Amino acid sequence: MDSSQPTGSAPSAVPVTVTVPNPEEIAQTRADALEAQLLEITHQLLAANDTIAGMNAALITAQATVNELSQTDVGVAFARVDDLENRLEAMLHELRWTINSNTAVLEQMRLTPTWRIGTLVARPLAMVTRRRR
Amino acid sequence: MTTKRPFFSVVTPVYNVALDILAETIQSVTSQAWPDWQLILIDDLSPNQAVRDFLATAAAADDRISVIYRDTNGGISAASNDGLAAATGEYVALLDHDDLLAHGALAQVAAVLLADPKIDYLYTDEDKVDLLGNHFETFAKPDWSPERLRSQMYCAHLSVVRLQLARDVGGFNSAYDGSQDHDFILKVTERAGRIHHLAEVLYHWRAIPESTASSGEAKPYTWHAGLAAVRAHVERIGLDATVELGGWFGTYAVHRRLDPTTRVSIVIPTRGTRGFVRGDSRSFVVEAVRSILAKTQHPNFEVVVVADVSTPADTMAELHELLAERLVVVPYNKPFNFSEKCNLGFLASTGDIVVMLNDDVEVIADNFLAELCGALSEKDVGMTGAYLLYESGMVQHAGHRYAERGYKHAFHEHSLGDPGPFCALTVDREVSGLTAACIAMRREVFVEVGGFSERLPANFNDVDLSLKVRAAGYRLVWLNRVRLYHFESQSRVAKVHQWELDILRQRWGIPRRDAYSEIAPPEPSRGARAGL
């Protein structure tokens, strides 16, 4: 506290403003909050129902697979072949996608001034190098 | 209900058929390995006395064959009903006087009925056979598809019906002669407890110049008789619909009415992409909305646009201008997740029915919403979907096909004018799956199955949704008249990750045979048949 300032109980010159909340605004804010909460809960409900549906389906699929495998000795081999084929399919997809992406990038690079200048510089050098060989 | 060996009454109305053909028909029955059958031949007062004499000879040769001689010519329904009245078997099998049962047909049917005695109606695949014995046009039919049966008599031959049920529905009705079998099977399937499709060619339909097998249009009156039969069916089951002749011979168009008070929410995820269509640049979502407004008569709908925050402001302004109070905007500011965007759109929607629509579509069909959503008034229909075409007019989507280890679009890249095998592209029908580019679902069904799985942000989310809806016991119906352009890049190579396939296969296994889009095996060449 600054001791040079007078102290006392003189009334403050600053008016005090008391804001009284509008009941309608309060209700609206609460309604908005509840609505947001409801949306969130419904979203969670969707996710939960999806999980239940997925797990039920997976259970049925697993049971069918077990039944299938239990009936045949070569079932395990078939499952392995399926698995390997799945991996192969996925790898082919990835490979195709990567090739397409790389090709696009390469095409873009070829259009840049750096590439063009580099080619202009590199071409005579390459010719010289080839001659020496 | 019994588990005893099935006994078949084969019912064959006969009228003035060539004797050598009739002999082959009868022989196709007498040569069956399954012994428990009777063949009831009903002569409908054939003018040719030789036919009647031939029938008498056949009956004398095998005591399992009986002949009914009608005093008057009553037509095929009357003759068939005489056969039903005389039948004593547990099941009746219908055989035309010039067609052939396949070798072992009854034994194969019996094996299925023994395994599941609750089956009331069973149908098999079929092919055609010419007078030289060449087989062609193998019809690999879908599993039970009530929507397709309303649109086309696809069950046809071989049909095996529990006799009591055949009698309970009143047998055949002469008012529908020419399509009396369509009427009969519609009535049977309305009441049948269990219906089974035996996916084997067990019936050979004879293609002779004057037969329907040779050309359906040889008997045009049959089409109108079929129309009357489908109309009667629609009335019996209480569908709020009208029925008209379809675009192709033998097909019918069922138009459901959508209650105008039903609120429909169209959810469109977008990021405001622009692209070229027919040489012109366009904002896809704006033009999609414009086409909806142009092709929709249904009054009660809203459009929920789930827009990435990067969506151009002028695009949003255009949407506001076009849709005014119909527009609901849901901002999206996360990394791309198509499933989440659709789910958030659903959460913000208020409709009784929700339509999921890609932003790169353009509605072609008139009365778009009513046609797409009308079928959802049937409680066992869980999802409906549309006929999507590339800009070139080739087919992008006509239902999914899950078979041979893969998930594909059926009839992909067929041309628009192509009716498809057995008019599959010209009739409404059940399918295994529908693309999320344009689907409609009732609100409660979407919640019941958990909407789109957000574990699948990019690929297979619609496959998974379709399979969930089917697993919950609902039908998925593809609607051939609900047509849209889908400007999806035909050359785009979708990046499919192993983990996406793993999720799908963990849930649903590896698809092997599609229930609704089987492809007939290639017909063997003459050389192959001759063993060369």
Side-chain angles (χ1 to χ4, degrees):
Chain A
M1 185 176 286
D2 185 352
S3 58
S4 67
Q5 294 297 315
T7 57
S9 57
S12 166
V14 180
V16 175
T17 311
V18 178
T19 308
V20 179
N22 180 345
E24 282 180 10
E25 279 178 18
I26 294 174
Q28 187 58 48
T29 308
R30 291 182 65 183
D32 288 349
L34 283 172
E35 195 179 324
Q37 213 174 341
L38 179 65
L39 284 184
E40 179 53 32
I41 290 169
T42 314
H43 199 178
Q44 286 177 20
L45 174 68
L46 284 183
N49 283 349
D50 171 58
T51 304
I52 291 167
M55 288 179 77
N56 276 335
L59 179 65
I60 292 166
T61 301
Q63 281 171 343
T65 308
V66 168
N67 290 342
E68 197 177 305
L69 293 181
S70 66
Q71 288 169 11
T72 166
D73 291 338
V74 292
V76 177
F78 277 129
R80 181 76 182 131
V81 169
D82 276 347
D83 185 44
L84 289 171
E85 284 184 3
N86 289 347
R87 285 166 198 274
L88 181 65
E89 276 178 31
M91 286 168 72
L92 285 172
H93 268 292
E94 299 229 5
L95 184 64
R96 201 177 305 143
W97 189 85
T98 307
I99 289 170
N100 284 352
S101 305
N102 289 346
T103 308
V105 170
L106 200 59
E107 293 296 325
Q108 280 183 338
M109 277 177 63
R110 283 187 170 142
L111 296 174
T112 60
T114 312
W115 179 276
R116 287 184 189 154
I117 293 165
T119 311
L120 285 173
V121 173
R123 196 176 291 154
L125 282 176
M127 289 168 69
V128 171
T129 313
R130 269 202 295 274
R131 247 180 241 151
R132 279 184 186 162
R133 281 178 195 157
Chain B
M1 212 67 64
T2 172
T3 53
K4 70 179 188 219
R5 288 165 62 87
F7 187 92
F8 299 101
S9 296
V10 181
V11 170
T12 303
V14 177
Y15 183 75
N16 239 24
V17 63
L19 296 186
D20 54 339
I21 297 234
L22 180 59
E24 287 184 23
T25 300
I26 293 171
Q27 206 244 331
S28 77
V29 179
T30 57
S31 63
Q32 291 291 315
W34 184 259
D36 302 329
W37 55 264
Q38 63 174 169
L39 173 60
I40 304 171
L41 299 155
I42 310 100
D43 180 70
D44 196 18
L45 198 64
S46 294
N48 183 357
Q49 182 59 37
V51 171
R52 300 164 78 87
D53 294 342
F54 185 88
L55 293 175
T57 307
D62 191 324
D63 59 9
R64 293 173 296 182
I65 299 176
S66 58
V67 183
I68 297 170
Y69 298 100
R70 288 180 50 81
D71 298 332
T72 56
N73 175 254
I76 191 162
S77 290
S80 299
N81 284 338
D82 285 353
L84 290 183
T88 59
E90 190 180 359
Y91 297 94
V92 59
L94 305 170
L95 174 65
D96 286 354
H97 65 185
D98 47 2
D99 296 342
L100 303 167
L101 286 186
H103 294 299
L106 294 183
Q108 288 201 57
V109 173
V112 172
L113 295 175
L114 279 168
D116 184 358
K118 289 186 177 173
I119 292 172
D120 289 322
Y121 171 57
L122 178 150
Y123 63 96
T124 76
D125 293 347
E126 66 190 69
D127 65 9
K128 291 178 184 172
V129 58
D130 65 18
L131 290 173
L132 299 173
N134 297 310
H135 293 252
F136 60 103
E137 287 190 18
T138 300
F139 188 1
K141 298 174 186 175
D143 287 355
W144 172 229
S145 178
E147 198 62 39
R148 186 158 184 175
L149 186 62
R150 278 190 270 279
S151 302
Q152 175 188 39
M153 174 44 168
Y154 82 91
C155 297
H157 310 298
L158 170 69
S159 278
V160 178
V161 186
R162 189 180 296 281
L163 178 61
Q164 190 56 53
L165 178 57
R167 288 175 176 164
D168 288 347
V169 301
F172 295 86
N173 187 338
S174 296
Y176 305 110
D177 270 2
S179 284
Q180 76 291 337
D181 53 350
H182 197 175
D183 170 67
F184 176 66
I185 297 304
L186 284 166
K187 289 186 295 189
V188 163
T189 53
E190 287 162 23
R191 294 204 205 177
R194 195 166 296 182
I195 298 166
H196 185 86
H197 165 223
L198 175 50
E200 293 284 342
V201 176
L202 299 183
Y203 193 98
H204 308 304
W205 196 6
R206 186 92 69 167
I208 51 179
E210 66 271 24
S211 77
T212 310
S214 184
S215 164
E217 293 177 65
K219 299 175 181 174
Y221 70 91
T222 62
W223 196 10
H224 290 274
L227 175 65
V230 176
R231 281 178 173 161
H233 158 76
V234 162
E235 197 173 326
R236 277 194 303 273
I237 65 170
L239 271 191
D240 187 10
T242 57
V243 188
E244 296 166 4
L245 294 176
W248 286 74
F249 188 87
T251 67
Y252 310 97
V254 180
H255 299 272
R256 269 99 164 176
R257 292 184 194 89
L258 178 65
D259 182 344
T261 63
T262 302
R263 185 156 177 79
V264 179
S265 298
I266 303 170
V267 175
I268 310 178
T270 188
R271 54 179 180 173
T273 309
R274 296 190 70 87
F276 282 90
V277 173
R278 301 176 200 109
D280 293 329
S281 173
R282 65 161 63 180
S283 164
F284 284 120
V285 67
V286 169
E287 294 311 314
V289 165
R290 219 187 287 282
S291 71
I292 292 167
L293 293 172
K295 298 290 185 179
T296 298
Q297 284 80 51
H298 185 73
N300 191 2
F301 74 94
E302 64 179 352
V303 178
V304 182
V305 174
V306 187
D308 283 18
V309 287
S310 60
T311 304
D314 59 340
T315 301
M316 297 310 296
E318 276 194 89
L319 291 175
H320 276 286
E321 192 180 326
L322 281 170
L323 291 164
E325 73 281 0
R326 288 190 193 277
L327 178 65
V328 177
V329 177
V330 180
Y332 188 78
N333 60 358
K334 296 184 195 173
F336 176 74
N337 186 325
F338 177 82
S339 297
E340 187 183 31
K341 287 179 89 172
C342 290
N343 287 346
L344 291 176
F346 169 78
L347 292 172
S349 70
T350 57
D352 310 304
I353 291 173
V354 60
V355 172
M356 295 292 168
L357 203 65
N358 277 17
D359 67 351
D360 56 349
V361 299
E362 179 183 308
V363 180
I364 303 169
D366 285 330
N367 210 9
F368 165 62
L369 281 186
E371 290 280 3
L372 179 65
C373 302
L376 293 170
S377 60
E378 286 163 73
K379 294 300 173 197
D380 66 334
V381 176
M383 191 192 285
T384 56
Y387 192 163
L388 302 182
L389 300 164
Y390 287 120
E391 187 183 353
S392 64
M394 287 197 296
V395 175
Q396 190 263 325
H397 176 79
H400 281 161
R401 181 168 187 274
Y402 308 147
E404 289 116 28
R405 310 173 46 76
Y407 309 92
K408 294 173 182 165
H409 292 287
F411 310 112
H412 187 241
E413 296 194 344
H414 279 234
S415 61
L416 175 59
D418 182 352
F422 301 91
C423 289
L425 286 169
T426 70
V427 291
D428 297 345
R429 54 190 165 76
E430 278 74 9
V431 290
S432 295
L434 291 161
T435 180
C438 179
I439 53 169
M441 295 173 73
R442 282 192 307 281
R443 189 168 201 85
E444 66 272 19
V445 175
F446 193 86
V447 172
E448 181 186 344
V449 301
F452 286 93
S453 178
E454 294 176 22
R455 294 175 67 198
L456 294 165
N459 293 306
F460 303 128
N461 36 48
D462 50 3
V463 174
D464 179 69
L465 179 66
S466 297
L467 290 169
K468 285 193 292 185
V469 172
R470 278 183 66 196
Y474 298 103
R475 294 189 284 134
L476 276 62
V477 177
W478 176 78
L479 301 157
N480 86 93
R481 292 182 306 282
V482 182
R483 295 182 183 183
L484 299 88
Y485 285 114
H486 187 195
F487 304 113
E488 186 184 54
S489 170
Q490 292 175 56
S491 57
R492 184 170 66 93
V493 180
K495 182 168 169 58
V496 175
H497 299 278
Q498 178 64 44
W499 58 266
E500 293 174 309
L501 278 169
D502 284 345
I503 289 174
L504 203 63
R505 287 172 172 168
Q506 186 187 28
R507 283 186 168 191
W508 307 106
I510 296 172
R512 299 186 193 282
R513 172 189 173 272
D514 192 278
Y516 300 110
S517 301
E518 257 319 278
I519 293 173
E523 283 146 19
S525 65
R526 289 186 183 191
R529 285 183 187 283
L532 300 173

